Amino acid sequence: MKPPSLSAACALLACTVFLFGPSGAVAQPVPPDGDRFATVWRLRGELTAADSSGAERTLREGDTVRVGDRVRAAASGEAVLKTADAGFVALRPGAEFLPERFSAEGKPSDSLTLRLVSGGLRVITGWIGRLNRSGHRIITPTATIGIRGTDHEPYVISAELAKSLSQREGTYDKVNRGGTTMDVDGNTLDIDAGKVGFVRAAKPFKSRALMTLLLPVLLDKVPDFYVPGAFDAELDRLAEGADAESRRLLEERQKAPPPDQAAAPAASETAPATASAAASAKGACDAPAQEWLARLDDAIVQRNARAVIDLFAPDAAIKAHVRGGDGTLKTAEFTRDELAQSSVDAMLGLQGFKQRRPVVEGRPAEGAKGCERVAVRSVSIEQGVRNGKPYRFESLEEYVIERRAGRWVAVRAETTQR
């Protein structure tokens, strides 16, 4: 397999790996892993989230959605969230939902519970749908929806919305792929691909016989309010390979050691933890990591090749893993001088550039006793127009930086396009 050209790889680094961003950009605080549900992956219009205290924040691409957040899309807003188990949740205009429970550790106990308050979602299940189908649920005011390896669209029509759409009030679920099961007090209905299930809103019926009206049923046709969203063409393509991708990421997750395993003392050790052991905790060296990345971002934005070179050691090892059109990763290696010049050249053709680093993490590098040698990890998202064509990339960046002659320089840099 022929690797990408050096110029193409360097351009990718300039545009997605080293993420030249606005001067002085500061990384957002990273919530605890157990609190993380998803990342805002696509966005059009306004999207907000309110935490359990009621404090509301406006979300942007790259922001984190936490378990317990009440997420709402504006009447003209749409978004796609990428969940930690390689799944997707798309919000239709006016949709409101709450991720009540979420665990994605690659274990049979992984689970997801979403409470759909109103409006519509499109849900493409990740590995939780493979490991623990019974633990993957969507709860609505009138039904609970389970999955059978699925791409589906639950929709809650409120009384107000029912009037404006001339539809019946209740819960709908359209299945695009796989299957779902609607459950109402133990009464279940299986919904196959291409079908739509419906449960009307509960009413205070006095006659028990009328309770049959509340049982889930299959509709004869797809209701008119089911229309493709702004990002559905992209989601359609992703859905085709969703099973394979979630399986691949699950295998990677199951092979990876626990996040804090390297920092944990051996079972035979009885002495209290030392300062250097405590420093090896995730994020212990964030300050030098953020400082170095900010200098790199500024240098590239200013098209200053000399400043870029000064941030890398002469013997720095630099690699880029670029995903080709067939989905496979191709690797290119180059020197700091080649990187610097290509990064600056790449900036010349950019317009409307936007960049975010939702994750920046620094910790002592392997073998280091403290933060004199730092392993830097950053997730970067950027988009813009290059040579007249729009683009968007997400990548994982990893560096090792150390102090030489009183300044931080990178001795290793590696990026992987997601």
Side-chain angles (χ1 to χ4, degrees):
M1 183 180 300
K2 184 179 179 180
S5 66
L6 181 61
S7 59
C10 289
L12 176 66
L13 279 169
C15 299
T16 66
V17 179
F18 296 133
L19 282 187
F20 40 94
S23 177
V26 178
Q28 294 183 339
V30 180
D33 286 344
D35 193 30
R36 187 188 304 275
F37 165 64
T39 300
V40 181
W41 188 64
R42 294 286 187 270
L43 178 61
R44 188 184 74 174
E46 184 177 355
L47 183 71
T48 60
D51 61 24
S52 56
S53 69
E56 187 173 272
R57 65 190 188 278
T58 299
L59 296 174
R60 298 180 295 175
E61 284 191 356
D63 283 352
T64 295
V65 175
R66 302 172 177 86
V67 174
D69 281 345
R70 196 177 186 95
V71 185
R72 183 178 63 83
S76 58
E78 292 187 60
V80 180
L81 310 182
K82 188 174 183 179
T83 63
D85 72 326
F88 295 89
V89 177
L91 286 84
R92 305 309 195 189
E96 184 174 351
F97 85 101
L98 180 79
E100 290 190 341
R101 182 179 180 184
F102 183 75
S103 175
E105 299 178 358
K107 301 177 180 178
S109 58
D110 285 359
S111 63
L112 178 149
T113 299
L114 304 182
R115 184 172 295 275
L116 179 55
V117 179
S118 62
L121 303 176
R122 179 174 177 180
V123 181
I124 299 176
T125 58
W127 74 57
I128 293 175
R130 176 182 302 277
L131 282 181
N132 184 17
R133 287 185 178 181
S134 62
H136 194 294
R137 302 185 304 162
I138 296 177
I139 300 174
T140 78
T142 57
T144 297
I145 302 173
I147 59 96
R148 293 178 282 142
T150 308
D151 170 3
H152 68 124
E153 300 180 49
Y155 212 118
V156 171
I157 299 293
S158 64
E160 181 180 2
L161 193 57
K163 291 180 180 179
S164 64
L165 296 177
S166 298
Q167 298 286 343
R168 289 179 291 177
E169 179 185 357
T171 295
Y172 299 76
D173 192 39
K174 179 170 77 76
V175 177
N176 302 319
R177 179 178 57 87
T180 63
T181 299
M182 299 185 82
D183 183 290
V184 180
D185 296 328
N187 297 290
T188 62
L189 173 71
D190 288 340
I191 309 168
D192 296 324
K195 302 295 184 180
V196 180
F198 171 68
V199 177
R200 71 173 63 233
K203 303 293 182 182
F205 295 121
K206 296 182 180 180
S207 169
R208 187 171 181 82
L210 292 179
M211 288 297 291
T212 56
L213 294 176
L214 302 182
L215 298 181
V217 297
L218 288 175
L219 300 182
D220 295 332
K221 62 179 183 178
V222 178
D224 294 338
F225 58 78
Y226 275 111
V227 295
F231 307 107
D232 271 31
E234 189 171 11
L235 289 174
D236 288 343
R237 292 192 296 271
L238 288 169
E240 293 177 359
D243 289 342
E245 179 67 5
S246 65
R247 185 187 306 112
R248 182 184 68 81
L249 293 176
L250 172 60
E251 291 173 352
E252 289 183 1
R253 182 68 176 84
Q254 291 175 332
K255 291 177 182 178
D260 297 323
Q261 178 173 298
S268 60
E269 293 178 0
T270 56
T274 64
S276 61
S280 66
K282 181 167 59 177
C285 305
D286 281 353
Q290 292 178 355
E291 176 189 349
W292 187 86
L293 285 171
R295 291 174 60 198
L296 178 63
D297 292 346
D298 288 347
I300 301 181
V301 165
Q302 295 167 14
R303 300 183 175 87
N304 190 336
R306 182 71 258 173
V308 174
I309 290 174
D310 288 344
L311 289 169
F312 290 82
D315 57 346
I318 306 171
K319 293 182 180 181
H321 306 289
V322 186
R323 195 170 297 282
D326 58 359
T328 60
L329 288 176
K330 305 174 183 180
T331 300
E333 301 182 15
F334 37 92
T335 68
R336 66 169 187 171
D337 291 55
E338 292 168 334
L339 164 69
Q341 191 55 55
S342 293
S343 298
V344 172
D345 291 344
M347 284 298 296
L348 299 176
L350 286 180
Q351 294 178 331
F353 176 74
K354 295 180 181 180
Q355 173 265 333
R356 289 182 56 76
R357 289 187 184 275
V359 175
V360 172
E361 174 189 305
R363 64 190 306 164
E366 184 177 359
K369 295 181 179 180
C371 292
E372 74 278 0
R373 195 166 188 267
V374 179
V376 182
R377 178 179 178 273
S378 178
V379 173
S380 57
I381 302 171
E382 65 92 3
Q383 64 187 59
V385 177
R386 179 172 172 79
N387 298 328
K389 296 182 179 180
Y391 72 91
R392 183 185 187 281
F393 289 115
E394 179 176 339
S395 58
L396 172 65
E397 307 171 23
E398 296 176 286
Y399 310 91
V400 174
I401 61 175
E402 62 182 42
R403 291 192 72 84
R404 292 187 181 180
R407 60 189 180 87
W408 289 101
V409 294
V411 297
R412 185 176 69 82
E414 191 164 352
T415 179
T416 303
Q417 182 183 358
R418 289 185 168 182

